Amino acid sequence: MQRRVRKAVIPAAGMGTRVLPASKAMPKEMLPIVDKPAIQYIVEEAAKSGIEEVLIITSRGKSIMEDHFDRAPVLEQKLQESGKVELYRAVIESADLANITYVRQKEQKGLGHAILCAKNFVGDEPFAVLYGDDVIISEEPVCGQLIAAYEKYGKACVGIKEVPASDISRYSSLAVQPLEENIYAIDNMVEKPQTPEEVLSLFSILGRCVLTPDIFEILEHTAPGAGGEIQLTDAMRELALNRGMVGVDYVGKRYDMGNKLGILQAIVEVGVKHAEVGEDFTRYLKAFVETL
């Protein structure tokens, strides 16, 4: 019997070198998009997808994430006494999204190594992976879109998007065959292709996966790949070659929070739709553009 996906892993141990100096003392996952840190959007997506247990892979200097998802009795009491009911609820909700635990990736050996750190947490269950750099805004949570595909096809799934040909060498390239609408069969992939011959398609894995527990056995014997790191894509390639995988061209807008432009885009595009400040912010942007 196929087991339900109820666990998620969020790798968030990277040093954030692309957004220095902002990430020198503040984890990039805690950089705000309007009034919530990026990591909260990702945990909220997992919770809306039915995930009950979340493991965040961290590293030295990132304990502030643990504080954010913890209760804050003094702050909560002050908000209640001040009659700030909505703010009180927002603070409580962030602590009650899911049962969140943490483990440190003590050495920066790549995404594959980070996922391997979750082996004891996952056990023998299927699990979702939500990349800590990627905030994806959508009406239907993207993690949930992948879980639905996993439940239908019984195979590991990845969230995919087409990327510009000029960018494919920065991502992965997938061999895909259409199954239905936005769903594809995947039987091969290459991490960061460096020659035209290595490019299988312009579809790349972006931000989300649902994996089966046999990925850990593969990761344990996966040699360092691109960048000298243990690449999750290399392990998934073995899974795809042997068992096949499913790709979901998901519906949603992805923001790369490890990239300065991506952070600005997220702030602007989420900001103009924000219930509290959206109208004023939109007016400001229009007025500012007129001054250029």
Side-chain angles (χ1 to χ4, degrees), residues 17-32:
T17 53
R18 291 184 295 160
V19 294
L20 283 169
S23 57
K24 179 181 178 181
M26 171 74 75
K28 66 181 184 299
E29 295 85 5
M30 289 299 295
L31 294 174

Side-chain angles (χ1 to χ4, degrees), residues 123 125 127 156 211-219 239 243:
E125 299 183 43
F127 65 105
L211 300 174
T212 47
D214 48 347
I215 194 70
F216 295 113
E217 182 179 350
I218 299 173
L219 282 168
L239 198 62
R243 301 191 180 185

